């Protein structure tokens, strides 16, 4: 598997870019090996967004992951989990631009749950806050899921 990284904007120093390039490539290739992703190039766009408090990731297409990093010190443990999580979406083909079908809440819940489980399996020292759901949150999902069936 190949990794191509594009940094958007000028908010990263050269040393940060080198560190992020090396780190992201290493984590993505490790996740790809576990997930059985071969003969594929995955593109990452990485940029800073001052309004965020934590790293954010989004699988935009079957071969494209967008990573947003807040200002300040880069949280590599969080970033490792995020890259694993998004690589799981790549492996399953679940992304913003689906080639077929449409987004439905139940599929999103399963896809996010599986990606989160993979993330926790790969980085067991960190439990992301989105891995915990309250009963009230789940009760909000149920009516919407019922409408989709």
């Amino acid at each position: 598997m190949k990794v191509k990284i594009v940094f958007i904007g000028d908010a990263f120093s050269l040393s940060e870019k080198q560190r992020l390039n090396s780190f992201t490539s290493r984590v993505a290739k490790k996740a790809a090996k576990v997930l059985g992703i071969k003969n594929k190039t995955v593109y990452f766009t990485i940029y800073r967004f001052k309004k965020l408090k934590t790293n954010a990731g989004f699988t935009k297409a079957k071969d494209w992951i967008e990573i947003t990093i807040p200002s300040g010190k880069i949280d590599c443990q969080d970033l490792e989990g995020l890259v694993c999580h998004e690589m799981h979406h790549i492996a399953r083909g679940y992304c913003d631009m689906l080639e077929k079908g449409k987004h439905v809440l139940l599929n999103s819940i399963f896809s996010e749950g599986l990606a989160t489980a993979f993330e926790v399996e790969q980085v067991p020292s960190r439990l992301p806050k989105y891995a915990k759901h309250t009963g009230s949150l789940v009760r909000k999902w149920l009516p919407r899921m019922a409408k989709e069936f």
Side-chain angles (χ1 to χ4, degrees):
M1 191 197 87
K2 293 181 184 175
V3 174
K4 304 274 184 174
I5 298 174
V6 175
F7 292 93
I8 308 295
D10 58 1
F12 294 105
S13 69
L14 180 59
S15 64
E16 285 176 322
K17 286 180 181 180
Q18 291 169 336
R19 194 168 125 234
L20 281 168
N21 194 355
S22 173
F23 181 83
T24 303
S25 294
R26 181 178 52 79
V27 173
K29 287 176 181 179
K30 179 182 171 198
K33 186 175 182 179
V34 173
L35 293 164
I37 300 171
K38 299 176 184 171
N39 302 321
K40 185 174 196 137
T41 300
V42 177
Y43 299 87
F44 287 83
T45 52
I46 302 177
Y47 63 98
R48 291 252 193 214
F49 190 66
K50 294 176 184 177
K51 293 183 180 181
L52 287 179
K53 294 184 179 175
T54 62
N55 297 323
F58 196 61
T59 303
K60 303 292 280 182
K62 64 181 182 177
D63 61 353
W64 172 25
I65 295 172
E66 174 187 272
I67 295 177
T68 310
I69 298 175
S71 296
K73 187 174 185 275
I74 298 169
D75 182 347
C76 286
Q77 186 181 29
D78 181 66
L79 185 59
E80 181 179 12
L82 182 150
V83 171
C84 290
H85 182 107
E86 299 306 325
M87 287 298 294
H88 190 276
H89 289 315
I90 293 280
R92 288 192 67 244
Y94 191 75
C95 58
D96 183 38
M97 295 181 264
L98 296 175
E99 290 190 358
K100 57 184 175 183
K102 62 180 185 173
H103 290 283
V104 294
L105 183 61
L106 188 58
N107 191 27
S108 295
I109 289 169
F110 279 119
S111 186
E112 291 303 328
L114 290 169
T116 300
F118 180 71
E119 173 183 356
V120 170
E121 179 183 88
Q122 298 304 305
V123 189
S125 59
R126 178 186 165 277
L127 184 64
K129 63 182 175 185
Y130 48 82
K132 306 169 200 169
H133 301 294
T134 63
S136 63
L137 181 60
V138 173
R139 281 190 291 280
K140 282 174 61 176
W141 295 340
L142 295 176
R144 182 170 168 193
M145 283 190 289
K147 286 180 186 176
E148 291 178 354
F149 286 107

